[in-house]
Each structure stands twice: as C-alpha cells, then as structure tokens.
Amino acid sequence: MSRARRRTRALAGAAACILLLSACSPTYVLRAGYEEAKILWRREPIARVLGRNDLDAATRTKLELALAVRTFARDTLALRADGSFATYVEVDADATVHVVTAAYRLRLEPYTWWFPIVGRVPYKGFFSQAAADAEAAQLERDGYDSEVQPSVAFSTLGWFADPLVSTVLRYDRTTLANVIIHELLHNTTYLAGHAEFDESFANFVGHRGAIQFFSGTGDAPAVERATAVWEDALRFSDFLGRLATQLRQAYAGGATLADRQRLFDAAQAECRALPLRTGMYRDFGTQRLNNAVILHELMYTDRLQLFEDLWRQCGGDLRRTIAAVIAAVHGGSGDPFAAVQGQLAPPPTLAPEAQPARAGPAYGSMVASR
C-alpha cells in the first residue's frame, strides 16, 4: 500500500517546463521530450472512450469517477482544469516517471537541479528506470545520499492538458480522486523554488478534496477510507517534522554517519509504534533510510497541520482555504509556510481570572518537550 502511495505522487513541473526546456544535457532533453510527446499524442477524450462497447466495467467506473472528480475540482473548489484529465491514454510501463532525489549525507539539505520557469527543484524525472538508477548511482559516487521512486502522475502546470494515464486506474477510488485533485491544484498554483510547499499544499488539498467529494456523493466507505488516510498523513507529518528537527540539530552539532544511524534506528522504532489506521506510511519504519529518503517524504508531508488549522479556521470550507493560501503566498515574499501561518488567528488569551492557579508537572513537561 505504501509503495502505491509513493507511485501516485506528482512530479510537479515534469513536461514542458522541465522536460522540454531543461538546461540539462541534450540527450536528457530529447529523450524526455520524445517520451512526453508520445503520451500527449496518444490522448483520447474520456467521453469517447466511454462510448466503446468493449470497455470493461471496472475501467468504465474509474473513468466516470475521474470525470466527476474533475468537475468537482473545477466547479466546487475553483481549481484550474482546462483540458486536464478530460482525456485518457494507455501506457505500457509500470510507472510514467522515475523520480531521483538526493541529499547531503551530513546535512538535511537536498541536492537540487535548476530548470527554467520552475526554478530549483529537489528532484529530477526520467522516463527510463535505467537512466534514473544511473543518475542515482553517480550521485552516490559523488558523496550524496540518493533515492529513486516511481510516479505515475505528473503535472505540466497547465502548459498542456494532462491526460489520465491508465496506470492510475489500478488504485482505489479514494486514491484516484486524491491524485486528480492534487494535480489540478498544481495547475492552479505553483511557487517556483518551493517544492516542499507546493507538494505539501497539494497533498492537503488532494486529501481534503477527496473527503469532501465522497461526502457529497454519499459514499460512506470512501469517506471513511479517505479520512483514515488523511489522519495518518497528519500523524506522520508531525512525526517526520520532529525527526527533521532532531537531525538538523544533530548535524549542526557535528554528528557522524554512525550517530545518524542511531537516530534513524530510534526514529524507525517510533514510527512502527505510531497509531496508524492504514498502511500508507508503515514501510518507513523498516526501509533503508538516508537523508534523501527523509527529505523525499518531507516534501509531501511538511507541516500539514498548518493547512488543516487554516481549513478549520475557514469553517471547513476547502475552496475558501485554497483561496486564502494562494492569496497569502502570492501576495508576499519569503517563506510560504510563514505566510500561511500569518493567516491563522492567534490563540485566545484567557482573562486573568480564567488562568490556572499554577501549572502542574504534566503541563510543564509538555511545554518543555515542544
């Protein structure tokens, strides 16, 4: 299940921006452009596909769901759909794009690539597994941590009408809805050079959007599943944020590779003890860890509670929350997470007579641990 989770993640900006206008080697550009063009050329309107007499029932159900989710995202959430996810394409590969990430071994800092329009990003996409593995191996030889993950979904940020690829249909209906809403959020807004914010915001919108969509259709099992996955994402985000802080402090203090391994082992034991309701994040507790793996996970789960808090402040109105985030981050400069934090009302101050007489030991301990 967790492998499927990673496969549905987006490579935001893969396509025209990164794949066709890249400042990388000509071979990379030509191969990526060729593979992307093949996908776009083979698109077929979903409405036409649904008219086939030989279409199997499972595919028909998923395609009808995709169109309904697209309409919901466009009309209810005000996301930019244009022609995206109105077409369908059959692909042979298990994954559309193979994503390489890398990081410094004794700094929790990503290795980045620069591309026109999207700026610096902590990943590089390949349509070939072998090419991605070769890139990762070279990064390891150069002294970096690396990781390769498959992704069946990507966004061209509105440059082209992104199709629904056949590999996405293997997933359950809640994941399918999440992916489509996630990608349409990328079409709607994107902050160049802030991949962690872009992906975490899209992750929040995808999860919350899926819950709202299925609530509107009266699909109680799907609502329960989507809610459980989102609650797990919030738990994992909190856990991973604390681990990232601990690692940064350790590296600043001169931690060695042996020191970081001890921190990894302790973190994985804590992860295995998390009260997760689904299997979406459980493999983090057993897989081989390095800084690239941690930063890859953090890119999609960074400070998710911040978006959830703003959603609650907006009365559970997701469309209003999305608009508030977009206005905040595009209206200012600097850290987009700080801009969102600035939208939150400060906690109420208790009147003197309402203040507790004294803080008990448990309260004092809780404050000290934060």
Side-chain angles (χ1 to χ4, degrees), residues 204 230-231 233-235 237-238 301-312 337 340-341 344:
F204 157 74
W230 175 232
E231 290 174 352
L234 289 171
R235 291 188 186 96
S237 174
D238 175 69
T301 59
D302 197 359
R303 287 165 274 188
L304 293 181
Q305 188 63 48
L306 186 62
F307 302 110
E308 180 78 350
D309 289 344
L310 184 59
W311 174 78
R312 293 186 183 280
F337 286 102
V340 175
Q341 181 69 57
L344 292 174

Side-chain angles (χ1 to χ4, degrees), residues 154-171:
F154 60 87
S155 171
T156 62
L157 309 182
W159 283 75
F160 294 104
D162 299 321
L164 181 71
V165 294
S166 56
T167 46
V168 179
L169 298 187
R170 73 182 64 169
Y171 301 117

Side-chain angles (χ1 to χ4, degrees), residues 1-19:
M1 180 61 67
S2 54
R3 174 65 61 179
R5 165 179 58 85
R6 286 199 296 272
R7 286 187 176 182
T8 62
R9 286 179 171 172
L11 180 63
C17 314
I18 287 181
L19 301 180

Side-chain angles (χ1 to χ4, degrees), residues 9-73:
R9 286 179 171 172
L11 180 63
C17 314
I18 287 181
L19 301 180
L20 302 180
L21 301 178
S22 158
C24 296
S25 71
T27 301
Y28 173 80
V29 176
L30 290 173
R31 174 60 189 274
Y34 170 72
E35 295 294 341
E36 172 65 12
K38 281 201 306 182
I39 291 174
L40 296 176
W41 180 258
R42 293 161 58 191
R43 292 173 297 180
E44 186 176 2
I46 292 177
R48 183 187 303 164
V49 177
L50 290 172
R52 295 177 186 168
N53 294 327
D54 62 343
L55 190 66
D56 64 274
T59 300
R60 181 179 300 279
T61 298
K62 291 289 182 68
L63 291 178
E64 289 173 344
L65 173 63
L67 289 181
V69 171
R70 178 183 180 277
T71 298
F72 163 81

Side-chain angles (χ1 to χ4, degrees), residues 100-111 113 135-148 251 257 260 264 288-295:
V100 177
T101 56
Y104 294 86
R105 286 185 175 150
L106 291 176
R107 299 193 332 246
L108 197 64
E109 180 181 334
Y111 179 94
W113 290 265
E135 178 85 359
Q138 183 59 55
L139 287 162
E140 293 280 348
R141 289 192 293 271
D142 291 342
Y144 298 97
D145 286 342
S146 69
E147 184 189 33
V148 178
Y251 292 143
L257 290 176
R260 84 168 194 174
F264 288 166
R288 182 185 68 88
L289 289 189
N290 62 34
N291 286 343
V293 172
I294 291 169
L295 286 172

Side-chain angles (χ1 to χ4, degrees), residues 111-255:
Y111 179 94
T112 61
W113 290 265
W114 183 87
F115 301 101
I117 301 175
V118 297
R120 289 208 162 270
V121 292
Y123 47 66
K124 185 176 180 182
F126 294 85
F127 283 103
S128 162
Q129 175 78 60
D133 289 341
E135 178 85 359
Q138 183 59 55
L139 287 162
E140 293 280 348
R141 289 192 293 271
D142 291 342
Y144 298 97
D145 286 342
S146 69
E147 184 189 33
V148 178
Q149 289 290 348
S151 174
V152 299
F154 60 87
S155 171
T156 62
L157 309 182
W159 283 75
F160 294 104
D162 299 321
L164 181 71
V165 294
S166 56
T167 46
V168 179
L169 298 187
R170 73 182 64 169
Y171 301 117
D172 63 77
R173 60 191 187 280
T174 58
T175 302
L176 177 60
N178 188 329
V179 168
I180 292 172
I181 297 168
H182 180 125
E183 299 304 335
L184 292 180
L185 189 280
H186 283 316
N187 275 15
T188 306
T189 182
Y190 183 82
L191 285 180
H194 293 282
E196 295 83 359
F197 178 84
D198 291 318
E199 294 298 349
S200 295
F201 181 34
N203 199 12
F204 157 74
V205 173
H207 281 292
R208 270 288 164 208
I211 295 170
Q212 183 174 331
F213 171 79
F214 289 111
S215 295
T217 65
D219 189 338
V223 172
E224 182 178 1
R225 168 66 181 172
T227 300
V229 172
W230 175 232
E231 290 174 352
D232 279 359
L234 289 171
R235 291 188 186 96
F236 186 77
S237 174
D238 175 69
F239 155 76
L240 198 64
R242 288 185 282 106
L243 173 59
T245 297
Q246 188 178 21
L247 285 170
R248 289 186 176 108
Q249 291 172 345
Y251 292 143

